Amino acid sequence: MHTGRAYLECLPREKAWELWHGKLEAAAYFADVPVELVPVVQSLGRVTATCIYAGQSVPHYNGAAMDGIAIRAQDTFGASETKPVHLTLLRNHEPFIPGGCYIVDTGDLLPAETNAVIMIEDVHIEDALAEIIAAATPWQHVRIIGEDIVVNEMVLPEHHVIRPPDVAALLAAGLETVEVISRPIVTVIPTGTELVPRAQDLKPGAILDVNSHMLCAAVTEWGGQGERHEIVPDDYEQIKQAVITSLKTSDMVITNAGTSAGTEDYTARILAELGELLVHGVAIKPGKPVVLAICNGKPVIGLPGYPVSAMLTAELFVRDILRERQKLPLPEVPVMQAVLARQLYSYVGVEEYVRVSIGKIQGKTVAAPLSRGAGILSSLIKAQGVLAVGAASPGLQAGAAVEVRLFDPQQPETVLAVGSHDLALDILGVFLKRQAGKLLTAANVGSMGGIMAIKNNEAHLAGVHMLDEKTGEYNIPFVNKYLPKGNWQLVRLAKREQGLMVLPGNPENIKGLADLVRKNITYVNRQRGSGTRMLLDYLLKKQGISAGDMDGYEKEVSTHMAVAATIKAGAADTGMGIRAAAQALGLEFIPISHECYDVILNFPPEDNAAEAIIGILQSAEFRQEVERLGGYDLTEAGTVMAVNTM
Amino acid sequence: MHTGRAYLECLPREKAWELWHGKLEAAAYFADVPVELVPVVQSLGRVTATCIYAGQSVPHYNGAAMDGIAIRAQDTFGASETKPVHLTLLRNHEPFIPGGCYIVDTGDLLPAETNAVIMIEDVHIEDALAEIIAAATPWQHVRIIGEDIVVNEMVLPEHHVIRPPDVAALLAAGLETVEVISRPIVTVIPTGTELVPRAQDLKPGAILDVNSHMLCAAVTEWGGQGERHEIVPDDYEQIKQAVITSLKTSDMVITNAGTSAGTEDYTARILAELGELLVHGVAIKPGKPVVLAICNGKPVIGLPGYPVSAMLTAELFVRDILRERQKLPLPEVPVMQAVLARQLYSYVGVEEYVRVSIGKIQGKTVAAPLSRGAGILSSLIKAQGVLAVGAASPGLQAGAAVEVRLFDPQQPETVLAVGSHDLALDILGVFLKRQAGKLLTAANVGSMGGIMAIKNNEAHLAGVHMLDEKTGEYNIPFVNKYLPKGNWQLVRLAKREQGLMVLPGNPENIKGLADLVRKNITYVNRQRGSGTRMLLDYLLKKQGISAGDMDGYEKEVSTHMAVAATIKAGAADTGMGIRAAAQALGLEFIPISHECYDVILNFPPEDNAAEAIIGILQSAEFRQEVERLGGYDLTEAGTVMAVNTM
């Protein structure tokens, strides 16, 4: 039952960070740092714990810096073209005699009593005599002991990240080991009775533990060593014991899930018992139910269970703590100014983080918001950056200037697709990267949203599949109506199958649309305005079937997968959608019609991207790849259906 | 003996690269790439070999997205505040009945026949009845199967670098392994009869093999797997066998040293025998004697022996080949515009790479060239970037606009020190980073060079130790004379000991300057204009000693270490210098005098760096640290000796 336990005061992010960082600093968490001795040859990327001083000089002897002859400089004084000096060639084992010289190669030890080298090019050797025509200065062409590094000199300062040449310098300075800051050990404890460790153990209602692996990987990326604890069920004592045990061997402990004020959320209570609970709840979305505590002088963090929330809060409250503990520089977050592709609503009082795709369109950089669900892992993968809507803001208008924090400072040239999504777009993206080095990023807002994005120059490409009821024509009437201006082309991508989905074995023996008005047949519909709904309505009219005679025509859901799920759950007998949705849930698929899925391309004439895309669509390779998915006909792929040049 | 074997035609860098890259491309080196299957949990940072498709939908069941009650939406139609609907609370194991509902927590499986969730906040529960006052829409607050990822959908494209959320998405999509591109194995073969593997085996004339470790570390940094071969002596057959053996197990082979046209340079001949020799000699400095070949379809590279040359040529001819083989993005090289701190001479016909320190001084970014010796490892460590002097250029004037390629895109605020160097400056740098987060970078050009750098606003700080013969005063007369304008302060750093260095046991029993005119005592002098020479001349004059009576007064060398090395080699009995030089070579040191080593600070008034530096110089902690070196007196450290505010 819901216990009604409340959050601690929900703090703004900055306040929560200040409290958190300040308390850790006061606990000397960044000052008392464990160190370890590692072999220099394994020290790449490690951070020096102290200043490192040379154990020997580099070079450690006086050596020839050139191929030539080693001589005593004073023997050559007065030599000139008109009055050459002749030196006696000595063998390597012979002792030096005044006026003598030795042949040396670069790097050779300078023979005793010599103090300069004359380059071989400047010497004429004949009959064991070397003739020279210019005086040498002492130590010319000699690498003197310590020329590079003098013994006891500082080779590397403290808190320096060791790079390849540093490895060489440490070794050259006679050091075989180096004291570095230990990698912080971070134990990640997945908690939840519903969690299972492996996909084969999954049953409906069970959740695969993926967060602990994601967080361990993030810890690795931030220089630490992630240790995954086994899954702990929602049991007060077991979670407490896991935290106590982990604290003994770790520099930081993360528990995942169990941090909201729900039925089985023990984290905050346990941490309050084991140490000082600093924060429970931060006014951010997603990620509000974060718990920050210090136990035994070590940070213990409860991260929320949804993966997007877990990742965001780890970035906000784990990353820089780990870096500071290791004396790693805090990287500057690269930011980019952009205009928002569409309106964003937001709650006042909560700072909201929205993942976005980015593209540069007709000279302006556009940020297209991705799905904001805290559970939508794929939004983490597709995003190129994140923008924060301030706590005081009720939202942002389309076209608003926003600052996007980039995940990668290096942004490849992107093609921003906004509109209706199709699996074929992912494949187009792969070909586009392969052939033109461009990244296709997609935000899914439906066909009409795509047309509007093209109209406002907020997308390079829009996937559309809209049927004109009057003409039975796809897409063309809509682009001509809504896009009177602009520099676009409408290009056929594929005809894709639409059909009726039914339970395996087709228990109601549905064969076509005529069956939808049969007694006892219930239907689940798509929402008004969707391409599938348009197609249904068109076909019903064409076949003279009255929607009013259907049971469930008014029952609307908003995705292909929701239709499939409704049928799978037994709440409807059939519904219309694409083959992939039926396949995903193991439903049977009765093909009814083809719809035309086209793309609108919006590039300035000087950009060769449109040409590249059309080339890909026309290629046999691409067609095969898409047709392999099933339910696609690419015969007309790459055909320009309509064009506008203002 | 010198054989006179010539280089192949020495190619410009771009030509060499084009030939090299083109031939590798033609050999399908970037197309036929080995792949391997790794566990997803170990795949961080790896590159996907192919597009990765989901093995299961995410979520894999319809689940509650909120804490609340699971209901059948149609049972709630018509509910309103005035006409609430009451649903019967069922237990989890009870089958659904129309008008029933179940309590669910976020993530719970949606019970059979229910298709929506009403948030607990919107429900009033009493006597096993749930009262609701608004109709629910189908699938509200439900995470529908495949909402995040649909089975068979593309999770990651090919050639994608796996990040922490990707790990989570792959696992969530039911994948336990992922096909990634194998890390290229690069075998590094150190060649040279003079090479030894460990510092304890070093004898004069022997060279410690540090390059192979540096190159293996660089390979690691570039995503490959460096395998160090044991040292191979300069023997034609042995080197050839090492290359043949390494080719069997490697994606690339690097031999190091043995690439110049000297006595024992077999690399080019061996590679021509084993495959196609493409390049022998590139018109760059340092690094000219690079060898590029393809053997068995694999790149084999001979890198020059000096560490700076080896690193530079590896960056030019190894790094991007390895990255392209792995389908890793080629990072953009961050560049910065700067003005050159001092004149640079260069050879026409050779592109020269010069390592530089960088600092922002009075609004302009200044690049100060570091030592250009190919053997000076420490220049690799101190540098923040490199600039290229084009092959057509005879050099660059001081103040010239240059483009610096940065080693790290993130440049901390720097204090650029140009002038006479002292070990105490390194320690000042450590304190400055600790206390003010600033990086001290130093270019050594002597005291006078430092004064000129301050005058031209090309340095923040200059170490100086210049004695005015007339007054016996240090530094003050010079700054007043040469720096009439500007906004500087002269601050005492230390008094440091100058003395006479002699062989251990002081065989000639030298006690002071008076001994320098004794019969049979030979002296080695510093060059005119150096601080040490000024001090000697001042002291000789003061003590009435005639330089003309000294044997060796005219024998000049240009560093402390060269003086020490001359004495150590027996070519002089004594010379003057600082204690550290004597210590480095195990010489005895007879203290003669103190000189004043001061720093000129050149910061705009609003910059608190000068204040921070003076604070550090005055601190007990800093003083102790420097005095620990021996030969330093810091009593007056931090005292402002002279000041100018225009």
Side-chain angles (χ1 to χ4, degrees):
Chain A
M1 296 285 146
H2 186 63
T3 60
R5 231 178 321 103
Y7 288 105
L8 288 186
E9 187 198 1
C10 196
L11 293 179
R13 182 181 48 77
E14 303 85 345
K15 283 257 168 64
W17 171 259
E18 273 165 34
L19 180 62
W20 175 231
H21 185 266
K23 286 277 187 176
L24 284 169
E25 203 160 40
Y29 187 69
F30 307 117
D32 297 342
V33 172
V35 300
E36 62 188 346
L37 217 54
V38 298
V40 169
V41 296
Q42 288 161 26
S43 67
L44 182 70
R46 302 301 298 268
V47 182
T48 56
T50 59
C51 300
I52 313 291
Y53 295 91
Q56 68 187 21
S57 294
V58 183
H60 63 102
Y61 64 94
N62 297 326
M66 292 282 181
D67 294 348
I69 58 168
I71 52 106
R72 199 170 67 170
Q74 49 267 51
D75 294 344
T76 70
F77 293 162
S80 69
E81 291 215 30
T82 55
K83 212 181 138 193
V85 165
H86 292 86
L87 301 172
T88 308
L89 217 53
L90 303 169
R91 291 177 186 276
N92 282 347
H93 59 271
E94 291 181 273
F96 184 75
I97 50 164
C101 69
Y102 303 88
I103 296 273
V104 285
D105 276 348
T106 303
D108 282 354
L109 171 68
L110 209 63
E113 298 191 43
T114 66
N115 65 357
V117 169
I118 299 173
M119 285 195 290
I120 200 73
E121 292 88 326
D122 298 334
V123 183
H124 179 69
I125 295 178
E126 213 175 301
D127 294 336
L129 279 183
E131 181 184 272
I132 57 159
I133 55 172
T137 57
W139 306 108
Q140 80 174 23
H141 303 318
V142 174
R143 294 198 68 207
I144 291 181
I145 292 186
E147 178 183 291
D148 188 356
I149 298 168
V150 177
V151 65
N152 296 330
E153 199 182 340
M154 192 183 296
V155 184
L156 295 179
E158 61 181 11
H159 307 164
H160 174 88
V161 182
I162 296 174
R163 303 157 302 173
D166 300 326
V167 169
L170 290 171
L171 292 172
L175 305 169
E176 301 210 327
T177 57
V178 56
E179 196 174 55
V180 296
I181 293 173
S182 300
R183 294 193 192 283
I185 295 170
V186 180
T187 300
V188 179
I189 309 174
T191 72
T193 307
E194 72 284 5
L195 290 186
V196 297
R198 296 168 67 100
Q200 58 253 50
D201 306 327
L202 266 184
K203 295 191 191 99
I207 294 175
L208 188 63
D209 166 39
V210 303
N211 286 3
S212 66
H213 296 289
M214 173 176 74
L215 293 169
C216 281
V219 165
T220 303
E221 204 165 68
W222 301 332
Q225 186 181 326
E227 301 280 359
R228 180 179 171 273
H229 192 285
E230 59 180 13
I231 293 168
V232 179
D234 287 314
D235 176 275
Y236 190 85
E237 272 310 316
Q238 287 189 58
I239 296 175
K240 187 172 154 187
Q241 276 312 316
V243 173
I244 291 170
T245 312
S246 301
L247 272 169
K248 286 184 191 146
T249 54
S250 314
D251 297 281
M252 178 190 277
V253 175
I254 294 175
T255 70
N256 189 225
T259 56
S260 77
T263 319
E264 298 169 316
D265 302 319
Y266 301 128
T267 312
R269 268 167 65 204
I270 289 167
L271 299 188
E273 205 177 310
L274 295 179
E276 188 179 5
L277 179 64
L278 302 173
V279 175
H280 184 197
V282 180
I284 54 174
K285 190 182 172 203
K288 181 182 169 192
V290 70
V291 177
L292 306 174
I294 299 184
C295 305
N296 299 354
K298 294 170 179 178
V300 185
I301 302 154
L303 295 179
Y306 275 126
V308 178
S309 312
M311 196 63 211
L312 175 72
T313 48
E315 283 165 356
L316 290 177
F317 296 107
V318 174
R319 185 184 58 197
D320 290 355
I321 298 295
L322 279 184
R323 288 209 175 115
E324 190 168 343
R325 170 104 163 157
Q326 296 169 84
K327 312 295 179 192
L328 285 169
L330 301 185
E332 282 164 41
V333 177
V335 295
M336 190 177 255
Q337 304 305 318
V339 295
L340 196 59
R342 51 173 212 280
Q343 193 165 20
L344 267 184
Y345 295 101
S346 179
Y347 288 104
V348 171
V350 174
E351 186 183 32
E352 184 158 5
Y353 290 82
V354 180
R355 312 261 159 178
V356 296
S357 282
I358 292 171
K360 195 166 184 178
I361 298 160
Q362 310 276 10
K364 66 179 174 175
T365 303
V366 173
L370 295 165
S371 167
R372 290 151 85 183
I376 305 299
L377 251 175
S378 53
S379 73
L380 280 181
I381 290 163
K382 289 178 185 154
Q384 292 168 283
V386 66
L387 63 86
V389 184
S393 168
L396 296 168
Q397 297 299 316
V402 292
E403 187 174 271
V404 178
R405 293 181 223 165
L406 300 174
F407 297 144
D408 189 342
Q410 199 171 341
Q411 287 299 315
E413 235 183 292
T414 53
V415 170
L416 183 56
V418 177
S420 171
H421 189 252
D422 186 89
L423 297 180
L425 273 193
D426 293 333
I427 295 171
L428 174 61
V430 170
F431 278 76
L432 201 60
K433 191 171 162 211
R434 243 184 238 167
Q435 293 180 16
K438 295 192 188 201
L439 189 72
L440 187 126
T441 64
N444 310 332
V445 298
S447 295
M448 199 60 213
I451 289 181
M452 289 303 125
I454 296 287
K455 185 175 180 181
N456 299 328
N457 266 331
E458 283 151 3
H460 290 118
L461 185 153
V464 287
H465 57 116
M466 293 173 83
L467 176 62
D468 181 34
E469 267 198 49
K470 273 186 238 133
T471 61
E473 203 177 18
Y474 263 93
N475 302 327
I476 298 171
F478 295 92
V479 291
N480 284 331
K481 177 173 174 192
Y482 291 108
L483 301 174
K485 291 186 195 165
N487 213 315
W488 53 261
Q489 308 177 62
L490 179 75
V491 182
R492 174 73 21 103
L493 200 160
K495 288 189 173 173
R496 66 179 187 185
E497 277 178 316
Q498 284 273 11
L500 292 171
M501 299 184 246
V502 293
L503 283 177
N506 193 1
E508 299 295 340
N509 195 27
I510 292 166
K511 293 196 172 118
L513 295 182
D515 293 312
L516 300 185
V517 292
R518 266 169 46 198
K519 200 88 182 155
N520 300 328
I521 299 292
T522 57
Y523 187 78
V524 55
N525 209 350
R526 285 291 305 281
Q527 83 280 16
R528 183 172 294 277
S530 66
T532 304
R533 172 70 166 265
M534 287 176 172
L535 177 60
L536 177 79
D537 291 344
Y538 174 76
L539 294 175
L540 290 178
K541 204 168 164 186
K542 202 168 149 194
Q543 299 186 23
I545 300 168
S546 160
D549 294 341
M550 286 167 61
D551 180 4
Y553 178 84
E554 70 297 331
K555 192 158 67 177
E556 293 183 355
V557 298
S558 58
T559 66
H560 291 289
M561 285 301 283
V563 172
T566 303
I567 297 157
K568 177 89 174 183
D573 294 315
T574 189
M576 199 146 123
I578 55 170
R579 187 184 281 270
Q583 278 177 342
L585 295 196
L587 297 176
E588 251 180 65
F589 182 79
I590 300 144
I592 295 293
S593 180
H594 278 89
E595 63 175 1
C596 298
Y597 183 86
D598 297 339
V599 289
I600 314 171
L601 303 181
N602 172 36
F603 295 96
E606 66 277 12
D607 193 331
N608 60 3
E611 203 179 322
I613 289 170
I614 291 171
I616 289 167
L617 297 183
Q618 291 174 345
S619 71
E621 224 185 336
F622 174 76
R623 290 177 180 196
Q624 280 162 21
E625 192 76 21
V626 175
E627 286 175 351
R628 224 169 41 88
L629 294 174
Y632 288 89
D633 172 359
L634 268 77
T635 316
E636 299 174 24
T639 308
V640 176
M641 310 302 294
V643 76
N644 199 45
T645 51
M646 298 271 195
Chain B
M1 295 287 148
H2 185 66
T3 60
R5 232 180 319 108
Y7 287 104
L8 289 186
E9 186 196 3
C10 195
L11 292 179
R13 181 182 48 77
E14 301 85 345
K15 282 257 168 63
W17 171 259
E18 272 164 34
L19 181 60
W20 176 228
H21 185 265
K23 286 276 188 177
L24 284 170
E25 203 160 38
Y29 187 68
F30 306 117
D32 297 342
V33 172
V35 300
E36 62 188 344
L37 217 53
V38 297
V40 169
V41 297
Q42 287 161 28
S43 68
L44 181 71
R46 302 302 296 269
V47 182
T48 55
T50 59
C51 300
I52 312 292
Y53 295 92
Q56 67 187 22
S57 294
V58 183
H60 62 101
Y61 64 92
N62 298 325
M66 291 283 180
D67 295 347
I69 58 169
I71 52 108
R72 198 172 65 170
Q74 47 269 50
D75 294 343
T76 70
F77 292 162
S80 68
E81 291 216 30
T82 55
K83 210 179 139 194
V85 165
H86 291 87
L87 301 173
T88 307
L89 215 56
L90 303 169
R91 290 177 188 277
N92 283 348
H93 58 271
E94 291 181 88
F96 184 74
I97 49 164
C101 69
Y102 303 87
I103 296 274
V104 285
D105 277 348
T106 303
D108 281 355
L109 171 66
L110 211 62
E113 299 191 44
T114 66
N115 66 356
V117 169
I118 300 174
M119 284 196 290
I120 197 74
E121 293 88 323
D122 298 336
V123 182
H124 178 69
I125 296 178
E126 213 175 298
D127 296 335
L129 281 181
E131 181 185 274
I132 56 158
I133 53 172
T137 56
W139 307 108
Q140 77 175 24
H141 304 317
V142 174
R143 294 198 68 208
I144 292 181
I145 293 186
E147 179 182 291
D148 189 356
I149 299 168
V150 177
V151 64
N152 295 330
E153 198 182 342
M154 193 184 294
V155 184
L156 295 179
E158 64 182 9
H159 307 163
H160 173 87
V161 181
I162 296 174
R163 305 156 301 171
D166 300 327
V167 169
L170 291 171
L171 292 173
L175 306 168
E176 300 211 330
T177 56
V178 57
E179 197 175 56
V180 296
I181 294 173
S182 300
R183 294 191 190 285
I185 295 170
V186 180
T187 301
V188 179
I189 309 174
T191 72
T193 307
E194 72 286 5
L195 290 186
V196 297
R198 296 168 68 98
Q200 58 253 49
D201 305 326
L202 268 183
K203 294 192 191 99
I207 293 175
L208 188 62
D209 166 39
V210 302
N211 286 3
S212 66
H213 297 288
M214 174 176 74
L215 292 169
C216 282
V219 165
T220 303
E221 205 165 68
W222 301 333
Q225 187 180 325
E227 301 279 359
R228 180 179 172 274
H229 192 285
E230 59 180 13
I231 294 167
V232 180
D234 287 314
D235 176 274
Y236 189 85
E237 272 309 317
Q238 286 189 58
I239 295 175
K240 186 171 155 187
Q241 274 314 314
V243 173
I244 291 170
T245 311
S246 301
L247 272 170
K248 285 182 194 150
T249 55
S250 314
D251 297 281
M252 177 190 278
V253 176
I254 295 175
T255 70
N256 188 224
T259 55
S260 76
T263 320
E264 298 169 314
D265 302 320
Y266 302 127
T267 311
R269 269 169 62 204
I270 289 168
L271 299 188
E273 204 178 309
L274 295 179
E276 187 180 6
L277 179 65
L278 303 173
V279 175
H280 184 197
V282 179
I284 53 173
K285 190 184 171 200
K288 181 182 168 190
V290 70
V291 177
L292 305 175
I294 298 184
C295 305
N296 299 353
K298 295 172 179 178
V300 185
I301 302 154
L303 295 179
Y306 275 125
V308 177
S309 312
M311 194 65 214
L312 175 72
T313 48
E315 283 164 356
L316 291 177
F317 296 106
V318 174
R319 186 184 56 196
D320 290 354
I321 298 295
L322 279 184
R323 288 209 177 116
E324 190 169 343
R325 170 104 164 155
Q326 296 169 82
K327 312 294 181 193
L328 284 170
L330 302 185
E332 282 164 39
V333 178
V335 296
M336 190 179 255
Q337 305 304 319
V339 295
L340 197 59
R342 48 173 216 279
Q343 194 165 20
L344 269 183
Y345 295 101
S346 178
Y347 288 103
V348 171
V350 175
E351 186 182 33
E352 184 159 4
Y353 290 83
V354 181
R355 312 259 159 178
V356 295
S357 283
I358 292 171
K360 193 164 188 181
I361 299 161
Q362 311 275 10
K364 66 179 176 178
T365 303
V366 173
L370 294 165
S371 167
R372 291 152 82 184
I376 305 299
L377 250 177
S378 53
S379 73
L380 280 182
I381 291 163
K382 288 178 185 154
Q384 294 167 281
V386 66
L387 64 87
V389 185
S393 168
L396 297 167
Q397 297 300 314
V402 291
E403 186 174 89
V404 178
R405 292 182 222 166
L406 300 175
F407 296 144
D408 188 342
Q410 199 172 343
Q411 287 298 315
E413 234 183 291
T414 53
V415 170
L416 184 56
V418 178
S420 171
H421 189 251
D422 186 88
L423 297 181
L425 274 193
D426 294 333
I427 295 171
L428 174 62
V430 170
F431 278 76
L432 202 59
K433 190 168 162 214
R434 243 185 240 167
Q435 294 181 15
K438 296 191 184 199
L439 189 71
L440 187 126
T441 63
N444 309 332
V445 299
S447 296
M448 200 60 212
I451 288 179
M452 288 302 123
I454 296 287
K455 184 175 179 180
N456 299 328
N457 266 332
E458 283 153 2
H460 290 119
L461 185 154
V464 288
H465 57 115
M466 294 176 82
L467 176 63
D468 182 34
E469 265 198 48
K470 273 186 237 134
T471 61
E473 204 178 18
Y474 262 95
N475 302 327
I476 299 170
F478 296 92
V479 290
N480 283 330
K481 178 174 174 190
Y482 291 108
L483 302 174
K485 290 187 197 164
N487 211 316
W488 52 261
Q489 309 177 62
L490 179 75
V491 181
R492 174 72 22 101
L493 202 163
K495 288 189 171 172
R496 66 180 189 185
E497 277 179 317
Q498 285 271 14
L500 293 171
M501 299 184 246
V502 294
L503 284 177
N506 193 0
E508 298 295 340
N509 195 27
I510 291 166
K511 293 196 172 119
L513 297 181
D515 293 312
L516 301 185
V517 292
R518 268 168 45 198
K519 200 88 184 159
N520 301 327
I521 299 294
T522 57
Y523 187 79
V524 54
N525 210 348
R526 285 292 303 281
Q527 84 279 17
R528 184 173 294 276
S530 67
T532 305
R533 172 70 167 265
M534 286 177 173
L535 176 61
L536 176 80
D537 290 346
Y538 174 75
L539 294 174
L540 290 176
K541 202 168 167 188
K542 202 168 148 194
Q543 297 185 25
I545 299 168
S546 162
D549 294 342
M550 285 166 61
D551 181 3
Y553 179 84
E554 71 296 330
K555 191 157 68 176
E556 292 182 356
V557 297
S558 58
T559 65
H560 292 288
M561 285 301 284
V563 172
T566 304
I567 296 158
K568 178 87 173 186
D573 295 314
T574 190
M576 199 145 123
I578 55 171
R579 185 184 283 270
Q583 279 176 342
L585 295 196
L587 298 175
E588 251 179 66
F589 181 78
I590 300 145
I592 295 293
S593 180
H594 278 90
E595 64 175 0
C596 297
Y597 182 85
D598 297 338
V599 289
I600 313 172
L601 302 181
N602 171 37
F603 294 96
E606 66 277 12
D607 192 330
N608 60 3
E611 203 179 321
I613 291 170
I614 291 172
I616 290 167
L617 298 183
Q618 291 174 346
S619 71
E621 224 185 336
F622 174 76
R623 290 177 179 194
Q624 280 162 21
E625 193 76 20
V626 176
E627 286 176 350
R628 225 169 40 88
L629 295 172
Y632 287 90
D633 173 359
L634 267 79
T635 315
E636 298 175 25
T639 307
V640 176
M641 310 302 294
V643 75
N644 198 44
T645 51
M646 296 269 193

